[in-house]
Amino acid sequence: MHHLADTEATQRVGRLLATLLQEGDVIALLGDLGAGKTSLVKAAIASLCDVDEDDVVSPTFVLVREYEGELPVLHMDAYRLSGPSGLESLDLALGSGPVAFVEWAERVDEALPDERLVLELEHQDGGRRLSVSGCGERGEVLAAELEKLLSQGKS
Ligand SMILES: Nc1ncnc2c1ncn2[C@@H]1O[C@H](COP(=O)(O)OP(=O)(O)O)[C@@H](O)[C@H]1O
Ligand SMILES: [Mg+2]
């Protein structure tokens, strides 16, 4: 559990995460509207891809956005998808190729690859609380590495 006191702290998690990611990694983001999911993903994408943080916009209405870079990225928001079958119909081959950030991942859980990093954000004392966990071998490695970076207080 980590307390993120302000938006900058959330963005910092995104930048730290960006240093760990490899092709095919899936990051599931859980948490209500306003929890900070998009803030975290924007900072990660700005680090990973040739794009300004301000040019990364929430994919709420387009379902999925793609960003070019050494490591290509997909950013999707499952809020408006009709559950797991809605994600499957996008035919995105998650888990191979681009890194995939999935907001509202709980809505499409069954259609996500088993191997994934899970980041849960909740409101806490005016800031946010971050819980990090991982599924599958790669998910567990990513979770452990991110926990290590967060505990070192690096930025
Ligand atoms: N740790 C934090 N403490 C306080 N406010 C935050 C924190 N992280 C993000 N925010 C703010 O919360 C608001 C909603 O963030 P956003 O990333 O759009 O959430 P979501 O994508 O989960 O709906 C933004 O104004 C953002 O600046
Ligand atoms: Mg969002």
Side-chain angles (χ1 to χ4, degrees), residues 37-38 58 60 77 103-104:
K37 304 180 293 300
T38 300
S58 170
T60 305
D77 187 327
E103 295 192 40
W104 293 101

PDB file of all heavy atoms in Angstrom, residues 37-38 58 60 77 103-104, ligand 2:
ATOM      1  N   LYS A  37      -6.426   6.969 -12.498  1.00  0.00           N
ATOM      2  CA  LYS A  37      -5.950   5.982 -13.473  1.00  0.00           C
ATOM      3  C   LYS A  37      -5.319   6.666 -14.697  1.00  0.00           C
ATOM      4  O   LYS A  37      -4.214   6.343 -15.110  1.00  0.00           O
ATOM      5  CB  LYS A  37      -7.115   5.071 -13.929  1.00  0.00           C
ATOM      6  CG  LYS A  37      -7.819   4.360 -12.787  1.00  0.00           C
ATOM      7  CD  LYS A  37      -8.974   3.470 -13.267  1.00  0.00           C
ATOM      8  CE  LYS A  37     -10.163   4.201 -13.866  1.00  0.00           C
ATOM      9  NZ  LYS A  37     -10.832   5.150 -12.947  1.00  0.00           N
ATOM     10  N   THR A  38      -6.076   7.612 -15.278  1.00  0.00           N
ATOM     11  CA  THR A  38      -5.579   8.279 -16.489  1.00  0.00           C
ATOM     12  C   THR A  38      -4.310   9.083 -16.183  1.00  0.00           C
ATOM     13  O   THR A  38      -3.383   9.102 -16.997  1.00  0.00           O
ATOM     14  CB  THR A  38      -6.670   9.184 -17.098  1.00  0.00           C
ATOM     15  OG1 THR A  38      -7.803   8.379 -17.430  1.00  0.00           O
ATOM     16  CG2 THR A  38      -6.184   9.871 -18.358  1.00  0.00           C
ATOM     17  N   SER A  58      -7.604  10.909 -22.405  1.00  0.00           N
ATOM     18  CA  SER A  58      -8.349   9.757 -21.918  1.00  0.00           C
ATOM     19  C   SER A  58      -9.072   9.072 -23.070  1.00  0.00           C
ATOM     20  O   SER A  58      -9.700   9.725 -23.896  1.00  0.00           O
ATOM     21  CB  SER A  58      -9.363  10.200 -20.870  1.00  0.00           C
ATOM     22  OG  SER A  58     -10.218   9.120 -20.581  1.00  0.00           O
ATOM     23  N   THR A  60     -11.705   7.430 -23.086  1.00  0.00           N
ATOM     24  CA  THR A  60     -13.066   7.063 -22.676  1.00  0.00           C
ATOM     25  C   THR A  60     -14.029   6.942 -23.855  1.00  0.00           C
ATOM     26  O   THR A  60     -14.809   6.008 -23.930  1.00  0.00           O
ATOM     27  CB  THR A  60     -13.634   8.103 -21.686  1.00  0.00           C
ATOM     28  OG1 THR A  60     -12.722   8.213 -20.607  1.00  0.00           O
ATOM     29  CG2 THR A  60     -14.989   7.663 -21.153  1.00  0.00           C
ATOM     30  N   ASP A  77      -9.899   2.173 -22.341  1.00  0.00           N
ATOM     31  CA  ASP A  77     -10.786   2.450 -21.231  1.00  0.00           C
ATOM     32  C   ASP A  77     -12.000   1.557 -21.426  1.00  0.00           C
ATOM     33  O   ASP A  77     -12.732   1.700 -22.407  1.00  0.00           O
ATOM     34  CB  ASP A  77     -11.178   3.931 -21.291  1.00  0.00           C
ATOM     35  CG  ASP A  77     -11.960   4.346 -20.067  1.00  0.00           C
ATOM     36  OD1 ASP A  77     -12.705   3.519 -19.526  1.00  0.00           O
ATOM     37  OD2 ASP A  77     -11.828   5.518 -19.666  1.00  0.00           O
ATOM     38  N   GLU A 103      -7.838   0.803 -18.416  1.00  0.00           N
ATOM     39  CA  GLU A 103      -8.614   1.417 -17.330  1.00  0.00           C
ATOM     40  C   GLU A 103      -9.954   0.703 -17.200  1.00  0.00           C
ATOM     41  O   GLU A 103     -10.488   0.207 -18.177  1.00  0.00           O
ATOM     42  CB  GLU A 103      -8.845   2.908 -17.628  1.00  0.00           C
ATOM     43  CG  GLU A 103      -7.545   3.702 -17.648  1.00  0.00           C
ATOM     44  CD  GLU A 103      -7.777   5.205 -17.659  1.00  0.00           C
ATOM     45  OE1 GLU A 103      -8.678   5.702 -16.961  1.00  0.00           O
ATOM     46  OE2 GLU A 103      -7.043   5.884 -18.400  1.00  0.00           O
ATOM     47  N   TRP A 104     -10.484   0.664 -16.005  1.00  0.00           N
ATOM     48  CA  TRP A 104     -11.727  -0.065 -15.712  1.00  0.00           C
ATOM     49  C   TRP A 104     -11.573  -1.549 -16.061  1.00  0.00           C
ATOM     50  O   TRP A 104     -12.498  -2.184 -16.562  1.00  0.00           O
ATOM     51  CB  TRP A 104     -12.926   0.527 -16.460  1.00  0.00           C
ATOM     52  CG  TRP A 104     -13.302   1.898 -16.006  1.00  0.00           C
ATOM     53  CD1 TRP A 104     -12.999   3.071 -16.638  1.00  0.00           C
ATOM     54  CD2 TRP A 104     -14.026   2.277 -14.820  1.00  0.00           C
ATOM     55  NE1 TRP A 104     -13.498   4.139 -15.925  1.00  0.00           N
ATOM     56  CE2 TRP A 104     -14.131   3.676 -14.802  1.00  0.00           C
ATOM     57  CE3 TRP A 104     -14.595   1.544 -13.775  1.00  0.00           C
ATOM     58  CZ2 TRP A 104     -14.774   4.373 -13.788  1.00  0.00           C
ATOM     59  CZ3 TRP A 104     -15.237   2.244 -12.762  1.00  0.00           C
ATOM     60  CH2 TRP A 104     -15.315   3.639 -12.781  1.00  0.00           C
TER      61      TRP A 104
HETATM   62 MG    MG B   2      -9.674   7.741 -16.767  1.00  0.00          MG
END
